[in-house]
Amino acid sequence: MSLPIDAGLLAAHNERLRREVQADYDHLGAQLARRGIDLERVRAQVAAFGVAIPSWGVGTGGTRFARFPGPGEPRHVFDKLQDCGVIQQLARATPTVSLHIPWDQCSDWSELRGAAGALGLGFDAINSNTFSDQKGQAHSYKFGSLTHTDAATRAQAVEHNLECIEIGQAIGSKALTVWIGDGSNFPGQQHFRRAFERYLDSSRQIYAALPDDWRMMLEHKICEPAFYSTVIQDWGSSFMAASLLGPKAQCLVDLGHHAPNVNIELIVARLIAAGKLAGFHFNDSKYGDDDLDAGSVSPYRLFLVFNELVAAAHEGVAFDPAYMLDQSHNVTDPIESLMTSAVQVQRSFAQALLVDRAALDAAQEANDAMTATHLLKAAFQTDVTPLLQRVRLDAGGAVDPVAAYRASGYRARMAEARPAVAGGGGGIV
Amino acid sequence: MSLPIDAGLLAAHNERLRREVQADYDHLGAQLARRGIDLERVRAQVAAFGVAIPSWGVGTGGTRFARFPGPGEPRHVFDKLQDCGVIQQLARATPTVSLHIPWDQCSDWSELRGAAGALGLGFDAINSNTFSDQKGQAHSYKFGSLTHTDAATRAQAVEHNLECIEIGQAIGSKALTVWIGDGSNFPGQQHFRRAFERYLDSSRQIYAALPDDWRMMLEHKICEPAFYSTVIQDWGSSFMAASLLGPKAQCLVDLGHHAPNVNIELIVARLIAAGKLAGFHFNDSKYGDDDLDAGSVSPYRLFLVFNELVAAAHEGVAFDPAYMLDQSHNVTDPIESLMTSAVQVQRSFAQALLVDRAALDAAQEANDAMTATHLLKAAFQTDVTPLLQRVRLDAGGAVDPVAAYRASGYRARMAEARPAVAGGGGGIV
Amino acid sequence: MSLPIDAGLLAAHNERLRREVQADYDHLGAQLARRGIDLERVRAQVAAFGVAIPSWGVGTGGTRFARFPGPGEPRHVFDKLQDCGVIQQLARATPTVSLHIPWDQCSDWSELRGAAGALGLGFDAINSNTFSDQKGQAHSYKFGSLTHTDAATRAQAVEHNLECIEIGQAIGSKALTVWIGDGSNFPGQQHFRRAFERYLDSSRQIYAALPDDWRMMLEHKICEPAFYSTVIQDWGSSFMAASLLGPKAQCLVDLGHHAPNVNIELIVARLIAAGKLAGFHFNDSKYGDDDLDAGSVSPYRLFLVFNELVAAAHEGVAFDPAYMLDQSHNVTDPIESLMTSAVQVQRSFAQALLVDRAALDAAQEANDAMTATHLLKAAFQTDVTPLLQRVRLDAGGAVDPVAAYRASGYRARMAEARPAVAGGGGGIV
Amino acid sequence: MSLPIDAGLLAAHNERLRREVQADYDHLGAQLARRGIDLERVRAQVAAFGVAIPSWGVGTGGTRFARFPGPGEPRHVFDKLQDCGVIQQLARATPTVSLHIPWDQCSDWSELRGAAGALGLGFDAINSNTFSDQKGQAHSYKFGSLTHTDAATRAQAVEHNLECIEIGQAIGSKALTVWIGDGSNFPGQQHFRRAFERYLDSSRQIYAALPDDWRMMLEHKICEPAFYSTVIQDWGSSFMAASLLGPKAQCLVDLGHHAPNVNIELIVARLIAAGKLAGFHFNDSKYGDDDLDAGSVSPYRLFLVFNELVAAAHEGVAFDPAYMLDQSHNVTDPIESLMTSAVQVQRSFAQALLVDRAALDAAQEANDAMTATHLLKAAFQTDVTPLLQRVRLDAGGAVDPVAAYRASGYRARMAEARPAVAGGGGGIV
């Protein structure tokens, strides 16, 4: 199997750093042993962890004001897959890719599946798109899709989701993620209850077409593109809808889709309790749906989310959340951002594994807030970098993925291989 | 029946203004007739509308920094009732009072009921208090009440709620409002899922004691007094709990208990759809749970809430929301604030009745956002002051409640009759 | 002078409604007379009021997710001007247009000025654009413009602003509005103090080129397109920069560019006090820079802003704020939105003129919060619709601008006259 | 000098851990050496760092709903000083105490100064209080203090601040911190510009009384106790006031006093640039002015604040910020919270010292956002615990301050020595 980055270059990179990694790893092991933690056991869990790459994430993102593409932008799904291959080769934490239809439309899904396999990649959830119009589309989504007042438009949106399920089956997906932009910009524009009823009605048709081993992941969002109201505005509406649809419908949590100040880890706990946690779209945000790199602004919040997940697993709660990055890379090389973000997510998971659960239980039971919070902080403050480096080394990745990537000259090669697409976006103010 | 404000004074006040009210009312009627609206029909609906007064609202409120009491503060529940009597006599929109235990503890509920009746008042929902400790209390609520890790503390909190139900039965209430301050101030302090389980367990015991014709109203709040997490933090958790408890449990919406930017009228619509809307605590907020006077900062938002309620009633949805004011009057005479707020709530209801529902349905169906939103604005921009004045005149109230109140000298009389209580609060920073 | 909407159609529209308008106007006059207000005097002030139309506002807006254009979209600045002509002809509150360079680039400014004059329009502030790249541009603004670390890029951005001043002089503008998208998406990406210094350095060069009777209006924004930090993030930074630049530099307030909960009318008061209020970009927002129609969600907030302006003028403060709409019309006909928004702004101004300033002064001095706030509410609750209708009638506009516009068939004519531009935006996620 | 915690106990505690601390410290030194950082040099800087304790912080805090005091609450300023002595003895990062008048009123300041000296403590800024009324006060602050409409009330508030300066001189303070609760709860209640003028007028009188080597630190706050507007609502107003007052007036930043989402580190940078940064009140917040323990919710934000401070110092900017904790300890032992918070602040400072400034400058200059943000993360992810432990060991403190404190039995002794004060707060809703 020929991976995008030269194996020799990668080996040389690792060789230079291997001894330091081992020394740091050994010291970390000794420190953790004093705290009663077996680093080897943690390593096995971290090694098994993976987060999906969104196919659209490897292209440069933008805002309604402008998009500033970088060199070597991927031109189609095969280019995107190749970039994902680089990410997985170097960071070894992203074994799957999540496609978006119609952006990733392709004439031969079997060929695509083969190409992915050759890169060591599989496919995660498939994403439908009824928030923008495609050329030649019979009905516009300007005023909604699954919740449109017009039955034919709703039928078209349902039909698109059914097509996504079919594509997903062709490539080995096991879940459909449904995010809609439906909502309103003016008080009175939309009848709230009727729109929700139409959402349920459309979703039931999609749900009915789900294979038995699939999940339907409902993604809520407080605003944007609709700016007065959205139909699935928060986890409450998402939970209500998922409950009415049935056991295969669950709620997806995107970290940037909440009102200011909202305690996201608490929502995660509620959804776990209800058996309705579908999974995550990881990113970070300071102001809204900023789609910044995961953990780049609020790393402790990301850790606290994983703390809920690890606690639930520790207690034997049966659940299986899907992990995906969902970011907009406007000022960085998307490959660098995605590798770094995957490692950040992995870091949060690793740190959450270091929490002394028995001591935490005891402190919580005794209302010893100081000890309880210290136990979380002790885990978070632990520098697990050597652990993550070791996991990558073990798996054939790079000790320092960004450095190895830069050294490889991949982007410059792509800049030559992929002629620049004309301009991009902007003017939508 | 002898009411607190002199009947002659009131009559003279009204006489001076009656002619102008009638002229304005007639012109409003003519304007509305052109829009196809029968003002007489609207008047009947507005006349039947009432919002409960919280007994604690007639005392001056404060913040954790200080409380600045005014003259003539009520000393006990009978004083509070008298002040409520003034409010109802003049504004005629507040036929009921909502008590808070133990703040309104009283040795003879039958006497209290009689006193209320003499003032033309009844009793609305009763409120329990497990967010502060009372002298001689066996177990402290410092670390929680219904969700405390200690079973005895939970039992004590449950017991208090059962006592509230008993008191409520004695005075004719039909609902118990449960708001708890339980939550945490530190990540890790509280086990989210276990705390919620304990909440459910305690609440089930309270629920089991509810008379058949009672409701249990669950009140959520995003923060304060707990500042990292609360157990019933939003309508999602409230809805989840109410669903698990049973049909008599519903969700109460306080307008100040949400995250910034949240669309409250949309939550109202969701709860109506789910058959889980218990009712409201009306107030206004700019920054958080400010407990400002209803509609004093965001009158259009208040209108939009009523627009949902009137729409649902218009469509024949079966629901019966409880209406209560819940405000903190820090810089005004509480009686003036409560009268003004009751009228503001009544105004929003009246304006919502003016919306052309058929035209709105048509505009929504046609995605004519401009017409739809204009229909709401047309109702909101209508100055219904003469309608509200007329309703008060018809019911024996004052055309201008605040002016009549000021003219009556009631507050000065109370300042003499009720010796000032020492100092007040502060120092809790 | 031939205006876009048929004069006969307009006359007929008005004739049908003239009698009702007069009756309502007369009753309003009588009501206000009782409150000591001379409606004729108010009418004169309202008639003199105008708010500028942004040239880009007549095209359908969009989000980073999609843009859904409507029929008859303007193709160039002359088309835009024609649409602005319709708005002014019917609503008579928008005598000027604000251009955006390079979006409104044109080969003959004198011709454009003539075309505007024929429509009864002048030109307001001119807007520069250094937040997106134009074809053939030497240096990219991906990492900043006036604050870029590269001197050549900054020079290019400065040069563009100088060109805007020249164009503005050609068309009769008296102000340059500078909004930049400069900022950062990651902690550490930008050196905060150095970026601000570069902003000042670049701005000083622009300031130096300002004609004596011009103003430079600095527009701040908390986020977007940069999502971790922006260089002119709030009024504090804007004020600091304007102070350092000199008396011709002032601060522009866009109603959607603030952090959640911020009291905008208070900022307006501060800027008035400092002699640094440049003017406004009017719109409304619920979640962020939503660019919703002015007053569509928070009409009382818009009124409170005008209350500050009218109070300052009443007290003889010397200031001259520029008024402009700045909205994104995603789901409505932009012409309808702009007419309606202009009237909403005018309504807020008219209502603010009704506040009893002497009584308000007295109530504030006496700390009678209830009376003070009631005085504002009394003005806001007054339905000034007949006044606005009368002002339009007097000026030759339409009693009901949207109804007259719809009756005119203008949009359908434009749909034929202006071939649809291909697709639009989207895919920037 | 006899310190509160037994020296033998402390020595034994340290002895048990000394070897591990040294091993971890040595490994950290080796790791940092590889990154070109001299740990010894960092240690010297960290050892010199201190943050002041607020005297009121050693008592249990509360909310407007309730206060739940713990055992052994300090009864007066000497008790408070003793608790501060414990904090400093064990954590060795808090060499000064900040007093609050009249809460810390005392009959013999010289005696107090002596008591402090015996505990190894000095005094930081002194805080005035005009946000609550004291028994026997001639004029109430219900409607304001320095900005009150009544001149006599303003004079009284000014006089109180002058008294605070005198007290401060007696105990060796060099700064007066002025935070006022002045503002309004209703639109219209307060004339924004006049209130600000009165603020300036009163503040000028205080400023005039400042000794030459003193600073006046203006503290802004967006809301609470006033909930519609405050007079010094943000850093913009604070900066405007400080600029008008003169060079001894500067702006104090409390981390919980901002609107949601606001970038605080950016404000810090602006104030540094303007020479107007007075210093900090450290705490953490999730929803508002939560007064949570510093860094307990958002540790990376605290680090980013210190990153600005260290960067400015590195570049030779002349400034001297005051550091103080300002927290409300509602559910923890205040001594434990203050020790932990002081260490957290110290940790952030230490981590900021690890940032590779030269590499960061280069990355910023090259717009290499990924490298720039990675450099900050690399510093933040470094576990500096052994460094902090070593600094405490060197200074005679405890390796683990909370563990040593618990082992000492200090709180139990105080519970006996200090009879419980009756009840506490609550009822202010």
Side-chain angles (χ1 to χ4, degrees), chain D residues 324-371:
Chain D
M324 193 182 89
L325 296 170
D326 185 7
Q327 308 176 160
S328 183
H329 312 109
N330 303 355
V331 297
T332 55
D333 183 322
I335 289 176
E336 297 189 7
S337 266
L338 286 162
M339 291 192 301
T340 304
S341 299
V343 172
Q344 179 70 37
V345 169
Q346 194 188 33
R347 175 184 299 271
S348 302
F349 174 59
Q351 290 171 324
L353 290 170
L354 303 184
V355 173
D356 185 336
R357 298 282 153 202
L360 182 60
D361 280 359
Q364 288 173 340
E365 193 65 24
N367 294 301
D368 182 352
M370 185 53 61
T371 296

Side-chain angles (χ1 to χ4, degrees), chain D residues 5-157:
Chain D
I5 303 297
D6 180 70
L9 178 137
L10 184 50
H13 166 87
N14 286 336
E15 218 40 60
R16 270 194 306 280
L17 300 164
R18 190 181 299 271
R19 189 174 311 179
E20 291 174 5
V21 168
Q22 195 57 42
D24 288 349
Y25 182 85
D26 290 344
H27 189 77
L28 178 62
Q31 278 183 310
L32 292 177
R34 276 189 240 137
R35 284 153 59 182
I37 299 167
D38 176 4
L39 181 55
E40 293 306 296
R41 210 172 136 264
V42 173
R43 178 155 62 98
Q45 292 177 273
V46 172
F49 179 86
V51 56
I53 310 171
S55 67
W56 60 97
V58 293
T60 297
T63 68
R64 64 178 170 136
F65 296 101
R67 191 176 84 89
F68 300 96
E73 296 274 320
R75 297 155 301 176
H76 44 59
V77 67
F78 286 92
D79 278 0
K80 293 181 198 172
L81 215 54
Q82 187 184 4
D83 289 358
C84 294
V86 173
I87 295 166
Q88 168 63 354
Q89 184 185 3
L90 297 178
R92 299 288 170 174
T94 55
T96 53
V97 178
S98 193
L99 296 191
H100 201 116
I101 306 301
W103 297 341
D104 295 324
Q105 201 53 271
C106 140
S107 56
D108 186 341
W109 295 109
S110 163
E111 184 193 355
L112 189 72
R113 204 169 175 175
L119 292 160
L121 294 169
F123 290 101
D124 207 86
I126 192 154
N127 301 268
S128 61
N129 175 340
T130 61
F131 53 80
S132 66
D133 288 351
Q134 309 305 324
K135 227 169 254 180
Q137 184 175 308
H139 306 280
S140 170
Y141 296 135
K142 180 168 189 167
F143 299 108
S145 59
L146 294 179
T147 78
H148 201 287
T149 54
D150 174 54
T153 310
R154 293 199 301 276
Q156 173 184 287

Side-chain angles (χ1 to χ4, degrees), chain B residues 110-122:
Chain B
S110 163
E111 184 193 354
L112 188 73
R113 204 169 177 175
L119 292 159
L121 295 168

Side-chain angles (χ1 to χ4, degrees), chain D residues 214-234:
Chain D
W214 273 53
R215 280 187 290 176
M216 184 173 173
M217 311 208 285
L218 313 184
E219 186 173 356
H220 70 266
K221 189 173 180 189
I222 186 174
C223 68
E224 198 205 21
F227 285 119
Y228 167 64
S229 69
T230 62
V231 178
I232 305 296
Q233 88 277 18
D234 60 12

Side-chain angles (χ1 to χ4, degrees), chain C residues 7-82:
Chain C
L9 178 138
L10 184 51
H13 166 87
N14 286 336
E15 217 41 59
R16 270 193 307 280
L17 299 165
R18 189 181 300 272
R19 188 175 310 181
E20 290 174 7
V21 169
Q22 194 56 42
D24 288 349
Y25 182 85
D26 290 344
H27 188 78
L28 178 62
Q31 278 181 312
L32 292 177
R34 275 188 242 137
R35 285 154 58 183
I37 299 167
D38 177 4
L39 181 55
E40 293 304 298
R41 207 170 138 265
V42 173
R43 176 155 63 98
Q45 292 177 274
V46 173
F49 179 86
V51 56
I53 310 171
S55 66
W56 60 96
V58 292
T60 297
T63 70
R64 64 177 169 136
F65 296 101
R67 192 176 83 88
F68 300 96
E73 295 275 319
R75 298 156 300 177
H76 44 58
V77 67
F78 286 93
D79 279 0
K80 294 181 198 172
L81 214 55
Q82 187 184 4

Side-chain angles (χ1 to χ4, degrees), chain B residues 263-316:
Chain B
N263 187 321
I264 299 174
E265 55 269 29
L266 180 53
I267 291 174
V268 171
R270 287 289 171 276
L271 289 173
I272 292 174
K276 282 296 187 190
L277 178 65
F280 296 89
H281 277 187
F282 289 119
N283 52 53
D284 210 336
S285 86
K286 185 156 182 64
Y287 304 101
D289 188 29
D290 308 337
D291 279 334
L292 300 178
D293 285 16
S296 64
V297 173
S298 308
Y300 195 45
R301 182 167 65 184
L302 187 58
F303 164 82
L304 292 172
V305 166
F306 271 98
N307 179 53
E308 292 304 315
L309 299 172
V310 169
H314 173 80
E315 294 163 24

